[in-house]
Amino acid sequence: MRTLYHHWLYPGARLARLVLGEKGLEADLRVVTPWIRDDSFLALNPAGEVPVLVEEDGATLAGTLAVAEYLDEAYPDPPLLGADPVARAEVRRLVAWFDGRFGQEVTDPLAGQKLALRLLGNGTPDSRSLRAGRANIHMHLQYIAWLTEATRWLAGNRLTLADLIAGAHLSLVDYAGDVPWDEHPAAKEWYMLLKCRPCFRSLLADSEPGLRPVPHYADLDF
Amino acid sequence: MRTLYHHWLYPGARLARLVLGEKGLEADLRVVTPWIRDDSFLALNPAGEVPVLVEEDGATLAGTLAVAEYLDEAYPDPPLLGADPVARAEVRRLVAWFDGRFGQEVTDPLAGQKLALRLLGNGTPDSRSLRAGRANIHMHLQYIAWLTEATRWLAGNRLTLADLIAGAHLSLVDYAGDVPWDEHPAAKEWYMLLKCRPCFRSLLADSEPGLRPVPHYADLDF
């Protein structure tokens, strides 16, 4: 059995779980706490970050994109990048948008402040960060609405890594109760489709003791 | 003729120039200044960032990894990722290391403070950032030495995107005169090999008026 080293707070590790789910691949999930130094884990990934995937033959893959693209290459059914180089470039552009820009502008200031700080016992959330994240999220939800205006998914009519990484980030922000779904019905509709997929079940079961998600977090009809 | 929108200060755009060079592909290079809003450029890339590549048929690719991986897929000779999914995952792990971690720990605090701030007329460098960058770079140069102990390049005996993104970042830090080459002979040897490649010529010709590189920047024997 392959092993995925992960932590629910890390969007890249959430993406790895979603990709495994979409491909119907099983994995032994092991939780690591990347903020606590662990030499045996550093031997697997010198960056000390999740996700890390170890295949049954010992092959070790580390990092958000390295793991996701590896899984898509090694287990091509269903394909989660595009059909040709130009389509794949568009998926990768969107992946960079959501994992980079959305991460910095929304996930870090909201989930980072409300969840990570509390989990690490590292102080109270900074109100300026929260205000910034809550202002920034509107533009991103509008962008999701714009991208899905004529298509079912962010990069066309097939689900791709772009949807999954956006869902990995948004589900964390939603866990903290900071997504203004009611003001963004088109983005909500896209997220409902995503949330209903079997691959999402594992994420919706996340519930850290002492830091529970908002009540609608796991509701498919929210 | 294809067009590459770039700026010499952006590591991802430097990578695009290196990949084009390795593949022997010509491109019309157009300089954009991503820190000044330009609606015609935003239409090409809503993120407003370089690199953006526009092919002769109008296909538009945007973002560091999207452009680099597109070029490798569309023009596979020579290949710049590995031969199989596991090898490619290792290249992508290293690309994330250098574009992510090296970027944050070294390029941003050094080149960002010394070059970008001056170019934008945005104040004087912060001495704490400079100290942090100068302390951090040693670990990264040691990592390059460790990776190349038994192989010619960072991910094996073939040049890959890992070497090119590391070179894209290091050449910027070197432009500012902040690489302690004399203390890291093995990393220096790897960089000399890279610097001698024809693809590097375009980068070594970079010289911003009023913000010249250190004298050894373009020397192949430094």
Side-chain angles (χ1 to χ4, degrees):
Chain A
M1 173 84 90
R2 67 182 63 79
T3 304
L4 179 73
Y5 294 84
H6 81 115
H7 190 283
W8 66 276
L9 254 183
Y10 287 72
R14 295 172 84 75
L15 175 68
R17 287 155 73 198
L18 292 174
V19 175
L20 286 166
E22 277 297 316
K23 306 255 176 204
L25 299 170
E26 300 215 334
D28 179 16
L29 295 183
R30 289 206 205 154
V31 176
V32 286
T33 43
W35 57 91
I36 297 170
R37 188 186 165 94
D38 172 346
D39 287 335
S40 65
F41 184 63
L42 282 172
L44 290 178
N45 182 11
E49 285 167 4
V50 288
V52 171
L53 181 75
V54 181
E55 288 278 29
E56 211 158 47
D57 67 2
T60 302
L61 309 312
T64 301
L65 295 179
V67 168
E69 296 235 12
Y70 163 80
L71 287 170
D72 200 53
E73 290 183 359
Y75 308 98
D77 182 33
L80 294 173
L81 280 155
D84 61 76
V86 172
R88 282 194 286 275
E90 176 62 3
V91 172
R92 290 187 178 113
R93 178 185 78 77
L94 290 170
V95 169
W97 177 283
F98 287 102
D99 200 37
R101 192 149 177 174
F102 187 95
Q104 282 161 30
E105 295 179 354
V106 180
T107 317
D108 293 351
L110 291 176
Q113 291 289 321
K114 288 179 73 173
L115 305 177
L117 271 190
R118 280 184 59 192
L119 198 61
L120 277 66
N122 241 351
T124 48
D126 172 46
S127 60
R128 278 173 312 176
S129 288
L130 297 177
R131 266 200 306 277
R134 283 176 188 143
N136 295 336
I137 196 171
H138 292 287
M139 181 270 280
H140 288 281
L141 294 170
Q142 283 161 8
Y143 192 41
I144 288 171
W146 185 81
L147 287 165
T148 53
E149 206 169 40
T151 60
R152 191 176 175 91
W153 300 109
L154 296 178
N157 283 320
R158 293 193 75 140
L159 178 94
T160 67
L161 288 183
D163 301 284
L164 297 182
I165 189 72
H169 278 268
L170 259 173
S171 60
L172 263 183
V173 180
D174 196 37
Y175 187 108
D178 279 317
V179 185
W181 291 120
D182 290 346
E183 298 171 52
H184 297 276
K188 181 177 176 178
E189 197 177 326
W190 161 84
Y191 188 64
M192 279 180 85
L193 281 177
L194 198 58
K195 218 172 164 179
C196 289
R197 294 183 83 85
C199 73
F200 235 76
R201 275 185 214 140
S202 152
L203 267 57
L204 297 181
D206 288 334
S207 185
E208 179 76 23
L211 193 60
R212 302 273 180 221
V214 293
H216 74 255
Y217 171 70
D219 284 356
L220 295 184
D221 184 18
F222 54 106
Chain B
M1 173 83 90
R2 67 182 62 78
T3 303
L4 179 73
Y5 294 84
H6 80 116
H7 191 283
W8 67 276
L9 254 182
Y10 287 71
R14 295 172 83 74
L15 175 67
R17 287 156 72 197
L18 291 174
V19 175
L20 286 166
E22 277 297 318
K23 307 258 177 201
L25 298 170
E26 301 215 333
D28 179 15
L29 297 183
R30 288 206 205 155
V31 176
V32 287
T33 44
W35 57 90
I36 297 171
R37 187 186 166 95
D38 172 345
D39 287 335
S40 65
F41 184 63
L42 283 172
L44 290 177
N45 182 10
E49 286 167 4
V50 288
V52 172
L53 181 74
V54 181
E55 289 278 28
E56 210 159 48
D57 67 1
T60 301
L61 309 313
T64 301
L65 296 179
V67 168
E69 296 235 11
Y70 163 80
L71 286 170
D72 200 53
E73 290 183 359
Y75 308 97
D77 182 33
L80 295 174
L81 280 155
D84 61 76
V86 173
R88 282 195 284 277
E90 174 63 2
V91 172
R92 291 188 179 112
R93 178 185 77 78
L94 290 170
V95 168
W97 177 283
F98 287 103
D99 201 37
R101 191 147 177 176
F102 187 95
Q104 282 162 27
E105 295 180 353
V106 180
T107 316
D108 293 351
L110 291 176
Q113 290 289 322
K114 289 178 73 173
L115 304 177
L117 271 191
R118 281 184 58 193
L119 197 60
L120 277 66
N122 241 352
T124 50
D126 172 46
S127 60
R128 278 174 311 178
S129 289
L130 297 177
R131 267 200 305 278
R134 284 176 186 140
N136 294 337
I137 197 171
H138 292 287
M139 179 271 278
H140 288 281
L141 293 171
Q142 284 160 8
Y143 192 42
I144 288 172
W146 184 82
L147 288 165
T148 54
E149 208 169 40
T151 59
R152 191 177 174 93
W153 299 109
L154 296 177
N157 283 318
R158 292 194 77 141
L159 178 94
T160 67
L161 289 183
D163 301 284
L164 298 182
I165 190 71
H169 278 268
L170 259 172
S171 60
L172 263 183
V173 181
D174 197 37
Y175 187 108
D178 279 317
V179 185
W181 291 120
D182 291 345
E183 298 171 52
H184 298 276
K188 182 177 176 178
E189 196 178 324
W190 161 83
Y191 189 63
M192 279 179 84
L193 281 177
L194 198 59
K195 216 172 165 179
C196 289
R197 294 183 84 84
C199 73
F200 235 75
R201 275 186 214 140
S202 152
L203 267 56
L204 298 180
D206 287 335
S207 185
E208 180 76 22
L211 194 59
R212 301 277 180 218
V214 293
H216 74 254
Y217 171 70
D219 284 356
L220 296 184
D221 185 19
F222 54 106

